[in-house]
Amino acid sequence: MPSLTLAEARERADLVTVTSYAVDLDLDRGVEVFGSRSVVRFTCTTPGARTWVDVHARTVTSATLNGRALDAGDLVDGRLPLPDVAGENELVVEAVMAYSHDGQGLHRATDPADGLDYVYGHLFLDAAPSVYACFDQPDLKAPYELTVLAPEEWVVLGNGAATREAPGRWRLAATLPLATYFVTVCAGPYVSVTAEHDGIPLGLHARASLREPLERHAPEMLEVTRQSFDYFHDLFGIRYPFGEYHQVFVPEFNAGAMENPGCVVLRDQYLFRGAATRDELLGRANTISHELSHMWFGDLVTMQWWDDLWLNESFAEYMSHRCLVDATRYTDAWVDSSIVRKVWGYGAERSPSTHPVAGVEALDAQSALQNFDGISYAKGAATLRQLISFVGDDAFIAGVRDYLSRLAYGNGTLADFLGAIERASGRSLEQWSRAWLLTADRDTLSVRLTEQGGAVSDAVVLRETPTRHPADRPHAFDVAGWTDGEQRLGLSLTVTDAETPVPALVGNPAPAVVVPNAADLTWARIRLSDSTIDALPAQLASVPDAQARAVVWSALLDGVHGATVSPDTFLEVFHASWPHETNPSLLTRVASYAEHRIVPWFVPRERQAGVRSALAESGRTVLKQAPAGQTASLAAARLVAGTSDDESLLRAWASGHDLPEGLSDDGDFRWIVVRNLAGRGLLDDEGIEQFRSRDDTLQGSLNALLCRASRPDADAKAWAWEQLTGRHGRSNYEMVHLARGFWQAPDDDLVAAYVPRYFDDVPAMAGWVGEDALSRVVESAFPVVFSDETARLSAAALERTDLSPGVRRPLVDCDSELREVLASRRAFAGS
């Protein structure tokens, strides 16, 4: 179906003002379809004009405009024409809609643990018409009233407070004005934990089979929710306006969460079934706070069009981390951001698909979806930190309050926000916004120190601007240095030139390790000096500042991807430093990067077995010395489980014997071991099925698919590929898990024949898989066969003109990463 264009949206917004929606959903028609009746009241500035309403139905059974029947046969490509519109109008559309299985629209999933079905609505970005007839664009906000018919044993939740009026019949309270993509209904035999804070009813909900982890984690999640409410109420000066606040943990959700007002949906993997590391809890807390901050940024004030996506995501990204640091026990949230979110964002910035934070011209809705990436989130948050350095925090918060209060329940633009900050600060943001918001790419920051007699004799900070996207960005950041854990220098400064002498550093003892942007305040490629990189194996573990260590690890990862740092150098630093790491985020994330990115991508396949054994040895070292049941021991156990070649150990752990403390009944940990066994050819399908039968749950079934696809057997690969790319009604999660396991192989020969098939078979899935889900499949299934032939096929695929946006954008990014690997292997072939 054609995607709504910006020009069409502007034309329709000039013509139409939506007064209200009344939507009735019948979810008691079986597992394939549901009934939808929409009553849309709207006005028109030009009576007699012609427009359309968006409907993506299996069948439109009737449609009337002001009592006049419309011909359902006129529905073409999801658009029902509305001829001769009056000044005031009532449109009634009755339709049969289809449940989805790709995480978009009204998604229905069956929990194999008990056979129960669950439904949730995810209407972002343009899936609302697959649930109800609407004018589907973000600037046509309106209040909603929903009624729902569901099986009698189901619970119904949504944007407004839900009341059961009769067995199976529910009414949701009328909402404040919402954009179409924020409407949701969650229905099924959900179990709940309820509470109240500051007069706001709170609810946590999940599948019945997840009752135990829901109740176990509820106190922690409610605490973060309460703390975030208090913090944002005080910071914004505007109370939460949307009534009750529910958080529903749903199955097979594509994203981390979605900020539907009053009814946030989150992926139910956040309800950790087994042991959870502290950084996993921090990540969940960040998501909870992120979605709550959206109640103001995105929900109360909504972007006018998708080109101002940053007004939603950059702010929520920044505000959630700020809230965690200021109001919760997760005071190291910015460290986590450095090693998780900014690494993600830097990867997006390296790709040819890089784009500015703001002002990206989204000519249609689907093209906007491709910019939901690490730039809109992580870079946007870093840019806001630079804005605060430029105007001051008090002016920034005053501008935010002005923006939110002026545009409450309406829509905002980049110009609206910058105007509010300019009024509050008295400073022009024209040049600043052009450099930081409207120009893509990043500068490179480094420090050139000259040493004489053990002291710094000269110091210069260098700023290199990218030639493909030049901009004059001022950077407020710091430089710090250490030797044997003792800080030898530290200075905050603002850099505006290509070379900035720093006389304040002259005379300090010359440090072994120098870290530009040690507090990670700005967004830039950090180039560590050769002497610093050489010193890291002996020095990094003794650097007392976790934030600075995170910047170093991020710079090393960036350097490996940029072919300026050898993967062997990264691994040398890892083996010397990681066993002594104390920060939970660095412990788990750096180990994950080593295992799942550095080794399978940048280390030639013939050397990978030995390198994995070395990783396992580092894991065993930490496992022996770390306190039982703590993050360090959990991270180490997972590393050993995923990389060890000790068959007797793996079989014992898989059978539940001699497990590290805290993992005796951890099904998710067991699957790490089982995948390792399967990938080594030590388990057949029957053996995998035995483990699945012990974990007869949704997650267990997904892990079994991944393990079956991982087996180093030609028949297993043929089965997995056919299941992935054929029309089997596989869910979005099933497809991704099959893709994740497929390319695991002892050598390229086993899977090489599927490289050309990828470029034909996966794009063809656009015919039956939604764009959001398909983009994740494209990325997960991209060939892990790093060769010139793969690069040739990839380049040829990108020349095609028939690729959908959901295929082209991730393919561009994967192609870029493939070329990074090839460049690295060429640069360090002799190392």
Side-chain angles (χ1 to χ4, degrees), residues 19 72 86 88 214 280 493 560 629 828:
T19 307
E88 294 188 3
L214 174 70
E280 288 174 326
L493 70 163
V560 171
F828 302 107

Side-chain angles (χ1 to χ4, degrees), residues 425-476:
S425 66
R427 301 193 66 173
S428 171
L429 295 178
E430 181 179 358
Q431 292 183 352
W432 184 93
S433 63
R434 184 183 306 117
W436 272 110
L437 297 178
L438 301 178
T439 306
D441 220 327
R442 55 183 171 152
D443 298 335
T444 299
L445 298 177
S446 59
V447 179
R448 185 178 68 216
L449 292 184
T450 303
E451 177 185 347
Q452 187 172 357
V456 176
S457 59
D458 186 53
V460 179
V461 171
L462 307 176
R463 184 198 68 170
E464 301 172 47
T465 59
T467 55
R468 60 175 179 167
H469 300 113
D472 187 15
R473 300 180 186 90
H475 291 270

Side-chain angles (χ1 to χ4, degrees), residues 349-477:
E349 194 84 285
R350 289 192 303 267
S351 174
S353 65
T354 185
H355 56 86
V357 172
V360 180
E361 189 174 46
L363 297 181
D364 60 63
Q366 276 300 326
S367 65
L369 179 62
Q370 310 315 311
N371 290 332
F372 275 67
D373 57 18
I375 293 172
S376 298
Y377 287 76
K379 183 179 181 179
T383 298
L384 289 176
R385 298 183 85 181
Q386 287 297 297
L387 176 60
I388 291 169
S389 296
F390 189 72
V391 302
D393 192 61
D394 289 344
F396 174 74
I397 296 302
V400 165
R401 290 184 170 198
D402 180 26
Y403 170 80
L404 292 174
S405 59
R406 283 175 182 259
L407 299 173
Y409 309 111
N411 299 84
T413 65
L414 169 63
D416 292 325
F417 176 76
L418 293 179
I421 301 297
E422 287 180 334
R423 287 191 296 272
S425 66
R427 301 193 66 173
S428 171
L429 295 178
E430 181 179 358
Q431 292 183 352
W432 184 93
S433 63
R434 184 183 306 117
W436 272 110
L437 297 178
L438 301 178
T439 306
D441 220 327
R442 55 183 171 152
D443 298 335
T444 299
L445 298 177
S446 59
V447 179
R448 185 178 68 216
L449 292 184
T450 303
E451 177 185 347
Q452 187 172 357
V456 176
S457 59
D458 186 53
V460 179
V461 171
L462 307 176
R463 184 198 68 170
E464 301 172 47
T465 59
T467 55
R468 60 175 179 167
H469 300 113
D472 187 15
R473 300 180 186 90
H475 291 270
F477 65 104

Side-chain angles (χ1 to χ4, degrees), residues 162 254 257 584 638 686 688 729 760:
N254 281 327
R638 291 172 182 176
E686 182 179 350
I688 295 169
D760 290 328

